[in-house]
Amino acid sequence: MDSGQYEFGAYRLDVQGRILFKEGNHVALPPKVAELLVALVQAAGRVLTREQLLQSLWPDTVVEEGSLTSHISMLRKALGNGPQGQDFIETLPKRGYRFVASVKRVGSGAPDQGVDRAMLVVLPFENFTAGERYDYFSDGLTEEMITELARLSPERLGVIARTSAMQFKSTPKSTAQIGSELGVSHVLEGSVRRAGERVRITAQLIRVSDESHLWAESYERGLHDVLEVQAEVARAVAREIQIKLTPHERQRLGPDKTRSINPQAYELYLRGRHFWYRRTEDGIRRSIECFEEALRHDPSLAAAYDGISDAHTMLACRGMTPAVESFHKAKAAARQAVRMQPELGEGYASLAHVRLHDWDWVGLESEFRRAVELDPGYAIAHYWYAEYLMAMGRTREALGRVQHSWELDPLNSVINASVGMIHYLAHDYDGALAALRRGLEVDPTHYVSHLRVGLVCLQKKLANEAVDAMRQAVLHSGGSTEAMAGLAQAQAVAGDKPAMERIVKELGDSGHRYVSPYNVARVYGAIDDKQRALEWLEKAYQEHNPDLIELTREPSFESLRSDAKFRELVERIGWRA
């Protein structure tokens, strides 16, 4: 337990006693207001969502958001500095609250050191090379820069992840607007111009509060030296934001430690990630081709093996291919990435992810921990870790972990859909809807978000709304078998079983496309047809279906929990009954 004390402005907060002092005088706070202040101060500089604060203050009680708003108002009045306390607590519309005053931790033997945590966004580097067809290169360089900076000092510097940063590509918005929307204190922007094997990169660091330019530099190098440029920029950012690098970080970023890369291999790797981010079956398969071609140019490129692993795992998890063969390829590629570059957090994350869906439980959590320690800014790894925690029944930890992934990548529709899924599996349907609707505000065409809205609506007894959401999922997915199964489930619950049977028959007749038996099992589980649900779950087990990690938490299977065959299946997957 944190028993320290924090100072901000004229105030001192005793965490253990939940007591606030102003210039030595006690400031009376109601108990919940004091808890709210502790939560905000301990997360100083970081956004806390309404959902996080409600869960923290009222963990076992359902309360309206108005209760939180009123407590924020009481706290602002108690602090009484600036218009409505805005000098201390900032409201971020549709997101939450952030304690913005400078905070220092003191007392309890703790050193008198600032706990301020800077937040940075790397805006998409502008492509000054002729034509949009080179966007993959500037976008890829942006992602690599994000990864490099996120490794610096996660306790002192948070870095917004790629997908949220990409929302501001070629934006007319000011630095102040971007800072407000993302809750960041600094912005790194730049441009890329290529000419054959030469690349010119410019970068500048801007402080949001006064829009002042803290640092700027231009680099002209051969393409094989691009990693050295990334390291130089990281050192400059650390210097300007006053982040003290550990000896390990100084050594890792040293000029003699950044290796040259094969230009053709690196370009193919960036192109592969460009296709992978499309999240379509064609895009994923094209990414594999690029990663494999990159390895023919440079067999030591660990990141390409990591890309191959992620691509095969996604094909299986989205029901595009049978799992057994895809997981074998994904696991082999991830292990090769880790062997070749043991400090590659993404490699550990990919290996842990495929092992999770492959029910390979022994020592699995240590690999997830290793992944987020090596690359704390890798948002999707925190979600994958949350999936593991949920499968283990550690609901509160899973919710906390997935919320952290959202903080790193708040404008990513995939992350928001993932946050929604964890809340759905935790049977927190209002929290799930809030996350899914945030994602749909960013991307109204994201079919997985529509699909999961449909699942949530079914549990909230909103069958017609569920049918509408599933139809949107079918539309925006181009008729994926996953979305079709979701529509069948919604139609069945809405009372239109003939429509459900037609869709299931259509899925059974689509021999050219893979149909996940787990999704069909969920259809029958939702209407309490135990026999057929168990038959399809057995097929899912025989195919080693990745979605079975959700089996003990999926609400559609609630009526099966007491069935002996269901319990036996749970044990075969690796859980104790």
Side-chain angles (χ1 to χ4, degrees):
M1 177 183 291
D2 186 350
S3 59
Q5 299 187 12
Y6 295 85
E7 291 182 351
F8 50 94
Y11 293 92
R12 177 168 54 86
L13 174 64
D14 181 337
V15 171
Q16 188 170 27
R18 300 294 196 264
I19 302 173
L20 180 66
F21 299 91
K22 182 178 182 181
E23 297 176 342
N25 299 312
H26 176 223
V27 179
L29 295 177
K32 287 295 181 185
V33 175
E35 288 183 33
L36 174 61
L37 177 60
V38 168
L40 289 167
V41 167
Q42 288 180 326
R46 189 160 51 88
V47 178
L48 292 180
T49 66
R50 293 179 176 86
E51 293 88 349
Q52 281 179 295
L53 289 169
L54 287 169
Q55 181 68 22
S56 174
L57 270 64
W58 296 280
D60 303 312
T61 308
V62 177
V63 298
E64 298 294 329
E65 281 197 13
S67 297
L68 176 60
T69 304
S70 66
H71 281 70
I72 288 285
S73 178
M74 284 188 281
L75 180 55
R76 281 178 167 151
K77 288 178 181 177
L79 295 174
N81 199 347
Q84 298 183 330
Q86 291 286 357
D87 282 6
F88 295 104
I89 304 168
E90 178 186 12
T91 301
L92 286 92
K94 298 183 181 181
R95 292 189 63 194
Y97 302 94
R98 178 173 59 173
F99 201 81
V100 293
S102 178
V103 175
K104 289 187 178 181
R105 181 187 171 103
V106 296
S108 298
D112 184 7
Q113 60 183 15
V115 296
D116 302 59
R117 183 171 185 258
M119 287 296 296
L120 171 75
V121 61
V122 180
L123 295 183
F125 278 44
E126 290 189 66
N127 170 29
F128 284 170
T129 312
E132 290 185 2
R133 65 193 182 94
Y134 286 105
D135 275 2
Y136 74 89
F137 186 83
S138 55
D139 290 352
L141 190 64
T142 303
E143 180 182 8
E144 294 289 288
M145 197 69 255
I146 289 169
T147 301
E148 187 69 81
L149 290 166
R151 293 171 178 161
L152 281 181
S153 180
E155 70 281 358
R156 296 296 310 280
L157 176 66
V159 182
I160 297 296
R162 173 195 188 276
T163 309
S164 291
M166 285 296 167
Q167 300 297 322
F168 297 92
K169 186 171 182 176
S170 303
T171 182
K173 292 181 178 179
S174 68
T175 300
Q177 287 176 298
I178 295 169
S180 176
E181 289 186 35
L182 289 175
V184 297
S185 56
H186 294 78
V187 170
L188 181 71
E189 62 181 22
S191 64
V192 184
R193 186 187 301 276
R194 286 198 47 197
E197 295 295 308
R198 302 291 295 176
V199 57
R200 181 179 177 80
I201 299 172
T202 65
Q204 57 182 346
L205 182 67
I206 304 169
R207 185 168 52 214
V208 171
S209 60
D210 56 3
E211 299 193 46
S212 61
H213 290 231
L214 303 180
W215 164 87
E217 189 59 84
S218 294
Y219 307 89
E220 187 162 349
R221 304 285 170 81
L223 190 57
H224 58 281
D225 287 330
V226 72
L227 296 184
E228 168 60 20
V229 174
Q230 293 171 17
E232 285 191 35
V233 174
R235 290 195 298 268
V237 169
R239 182 180 65 249
E240 297 300 330
I241 301 182
Q242 298 182 343
I243 294 172
K244 185 177 181 181
L245 299 179
T246 65
H248 170 74
E249 286 299 317
R250 287 197 299 272
Q251 182 182 37
R252 185 178 67 80
L253 294 173
D256 58 331
K257 295 298 181 182
T258 51
R259 69 183 184 90
S260 295
I261 56 173
N262 181 288
Q264 291 83 8
Y266 184 67
E267 188 161 356
L268 282 161
Y269 168 73
L270 295 182
R271 191 188 295 270
R273 279 298 181 189
H274 174 76
F275 287 129
W276 185 82
Y277 276 112
R278 292 182 179 178
R279 297 295 204 280
T280 63
E281 183 171 356
D282 177 66
I284 296 168
R285 293 188 184 280
R286 291 179 71 181
S287 78
I288 294 172
E289 294 174 1
C290 290
F291 295 139
E292 290 177 342
E293 180 67 18
L295 288 170
R296 282 191 277 275
H297 286 279
D298 182 2
S300 67
L301 187 59
Y305 282 107
D306 179 57
I308 290 171
S309 177
D310 287 344
H312 282 295
T313 301
M314 186 177 289
L315 285 174
C317 289
R318 290 269 60 88
M320 297 168 181
T321 60
V324 175
E325 181 180 352
S326 290
F327 282 162
H328 175 74
K329 293 176 180 177
K331 199 181 289 189
R335 284 186 169 138
Q336 183 68 1
V338 169
R339 275 195 297 268
M340 300 182 71
Q341 196 171 339
E343 70 278 12
L344 184 69
E346 294 94 325
Y348 282 97
S350 299
L351 180 56
H353 186 216
V354 67
R355 286 188 60 206
L356 169 64
H357 287 289
D358 204 28
W359 321 329
D360 185 2
W361 306 108
V362 178
L364 180 55
E365 185 166 12
S366 64
E367 286 190 351
F368 274 119
R369 286 178 174 171
R370 182 68 171 149
V372 297
E373 286 169 2
L374 286 171
D375 196 351
Y378 192 29
I380 196 67
H382 292 280
Y383 166 62
W384 292 339
Y385 192 2
E387 284 188 305
Y388 166 81
L389 293 168
M390 184 58 73
M392 295 295 103
R394 292 155 61 181
T395 303
R396 187 180 291 273
E397 291 177 76
L399 290 170
R401 181 65 63 174
V402 80
Q403 194 64 38
H404 184 58
S405 75
W406 176 80
E407 290 169 3
L408 291 168
D409 208 355
L411 301 184
N412 184 343
S413 54
V414 174
I415 291 291
N416 277 287
S418 302
V419 174
M421 192 62 179
I422 293 295
H423 281 272
Y424 167 78
L425 294 173
H427 299 195
D428 172 18
Y429 304 124
D430 290 336
L433 274 182
L436 293 166
R437 285 169 177 162
R438 281 199 306 262
L440 287 171
E441 286 180 6
V442 176
D443 182 4
T445 69
H446 188 241
Y447 89 88
V448 176
S449 295
H450 287 290
L451 173 68
R452 290 173 178 173
V453 166
L455 293 174
V456 173
C457 286
L458 289 177
Q459 298 308 314
K460 289 174 69 69
K461 312 300 182 187
L462 303 171
N464 292 332
E465 289 87 339
V467 171
D468 291 341
M470 293 301 188
R471 284 176 173 155
Q472 288 294 309
V474 172
L475 172 67
H476 293 300
S477 69
S480 79
T481 60
E482 180 184 27
M484 291 292 290
L487 179 58
Q489 182 178 345
Q491 296 279 25
V493 175
D496 193 350
K497 290 189 179 178
M500 177 269 280
E501 295 287 4
R502 284 196 301 272
I503 295 173
V504 171
K505 183 178 185 303
E506 181 183 340
L507 290 173
D509 292 341
S510 60
H512 64 290
R513 294 196 300 169
Y514 177 71
V515 178
S516 165
Y518 181 88
N519 292 333
V520 181
R522 196 158 53 188
V523 174
Y524 291 113
I527 58 173
D528 203 18
D529 187 337
K530 295 182 182 179
Q531 180 178 344
R532 287 202 277 186
L534 287 167
E535 288 172 358
W536 283 97
L537 283 175
E538 182 60 34
K539 289 180 182 178
Y541 175 80
Q542 295 301 327
E543 292 187 6
H544 219 86
N545 189 277
D547 291 324
L548 284 171
I549 65 164
E550 301 169 357
L551 185 61
T552 62
R553 307 292 303 184
E554 169 57 57
S556 302
F557 300 133
E558 193 64 40
S559 65
L560 303 179
R561 306 263 185 251
S562 60
D563 189 282
K565 289 184 178 179
F566 183 86
R567 295 200 303 270
E568 188 266 339
L569 175 61
V570 166
E571 290 189 6
R572 273 188 282 154
I573 292 171
W575 289 292
R576 294 177 180 175

